[in-house]
Amino acid sequence: MVERAGTGDRGEAMGRLASIGAWWDGLEAPLRRLPRGAALAVLVLTLLACLWSAQATTAYVAADQHRAATRPLKEDEGDYKLYQRTLSRMRAGEGYYAAAESEQRAHGYPTRPFVTVRTPTMAWLALTLGLPALKIVAILLLLANVAAWVVALEGRSWLVERAAAALALGVFGVLAFFPLVGLTHEMFAGLLLSLALALHRPHRWWPSLLLAGMALAIREMALPFVLLWGAFALDARRWRESLGLALLLAAFAAGMAVHAHFVALHRLPGDLVSDGWEGMLGLANFIGPLVTTTLVGALPGWLAGPLALLPLLGWAAVRGRLGLFALLWSAGYMVLLSVFARPDNFYWVLLVLPAYGIGIVFVPRALADLLAAALRRGRPLARSGG
């Protein structure tokens, strides 16, 4: 129902200020409510972005293949070899920090700042359970994501969209089947964060808190997810949930302080310092790694590029906390990889997988909403009063 200007508009504005999440939740089709000019602009930008991404992805994949052909990794090079050597030394009885920093020092890896040394969580799990068992855990987490997301999308999607979402999770989460996934910190963290988002309910948020805590223990770069969640909880005035998140952040800070202490304890004066994180490589540094680490990479570049970029648009078409959170979370990591990541930080993209890929399912809906808004005459639709 279209409201008249005046009281209804003021009520909408006040509701928006009271809770941005609740305001978004009241928009059954967020993109359909854009002004006509804005909808046209988004359609044009989407077309241009798709054309650009096709070219950028083709160039990224070609450069990656050329680099692999002209400078193949030696037998003892690469992050996985580093982690495997560290694990072997731990099996022989050496402590994690002594083994990890000795290996990083010996093979030209920095140990400054302390975040260049991974937290010991995955190494301890691999030592205790073994890599084959961790692969099974990763596959089970992926299957749990499929089940949780099918349920989470009920009431805001068609059955065919939920079926497609399950398929998208497999396409974008295929690295769960990788034999060395137990040494892929970002993939495990991404699976946990994706599941945390799917399972979150206002009345039952503690399972998501536990999953987010596990992701933080594995990779500190899960922190933006938790901070965004905290902003949502505060915005909705869910004080118990906010307190739970505050306690999690306090525990995380304490854990990182302990980690920094042990890294410093085993550091030597001549250890290398990181080159920093000022890559400024642009959006290609997000879509390129996303293509090469998922089944999207099996497609030609002209198709893979748009498929890697369009999920963001799809999430913008999903109402409620779920859609808005996924949109902001994905966009945030796009910025991180575009601005801060170096070429060898490509694995950061795994932190939003496989959930990011579900957005591709809602692209037809997003385009339909944008076209409806662009073709509509008169003022944009106001929020329904009922």
Side-chain angles (χ1 to χ4, degrees), residues 76-92:
D76 63 342
E77 285 185 329
D79 290 358
Y80 286 117
K81 293 294 184 182
L82 176 75
Y83 301 147
Q84 286 175 309
R85 287 192 299 269
T86 299
L87 191 58
S88 295
R89 293 173 67 156
M90 292 172 67
R91 290 193 183 107

Side-chain angles (χ1 to χ4, degrees), residues 134-316:
L134 285 180
K135 177 184 174 182
I136 293 173
V137 172
I139 294 171
L140 291 175
L141 282 172
L142 181 61
L143 293 175
N145 265 283
V146 171
W149 277 102
V150 167
V151 173
L153 293 172
E154 286 182 0
R156 65 185 82 233
S157 63
W158 299 101
L159 178 60
V160 66
E161 289 177 320
R162 295 195 292 278
L167 178 61
L169 285 166
V171 170
F172 285 86
V174 67
L175 207 59
F177 295 91
F178 180 48
L180 295 180
V181 68
L183 300 177
T184 311
H185 306 74
E186 294 77 13
M187 189 67 227
F188 253 90
L191 286 165
L192 290 166
L193 294 178
S194 295
L195 186 57
L197 179 56
L199 290 178
H200 180 273
R201 304 291 185 276
H203 60 280
R204 194 189 70 242
W205 45 266
W206 62 266
S208 296
L209 190 72
L210 291 176
L211 291 166
M214 286 188 275
L216 280 173
I218 291 171
R219 193 67 167 97
E220 72 283 352
M221 284 194 65
L223 181 61
F225 178 97
V226 179
L227 293 176
L228 180 61
W229 181 3
F232 270 71
L234 289 171
D235 174 66
R237 293 172 171 79
R238 293 196 295 268
W239 305 125
R240 289 187 179 180
E241 188 174 338
S242 300
L243 177 60
L245 287 162
L247 292 174
L248 174 60
L249 289 172
F252 168 71
M256 292 305 291
V258 172
H259 177 59
H261 168 74
F262 280 104
V263 171
L265 202 62
H266 292 84
R267 185 184 290 140
L268 296 180
D271 283 4
L272 296 177
V273 179
S274 171
D275 294 333
W277 295 274
E278 299 173 355
M280 301 296 292
L281 297 173
L283 193 54
N285 205 42
F286 176 85
I287 61 172
L290 193 144
V291 166
T292 56
T293 57
T294 67
L295 284 180
V296 176
L299 301 171
W302 61 267
L303 181 57
L307 288 179
L309 191 59
L310 284 172
L312 190 70
L313 177 67
W315 277 121

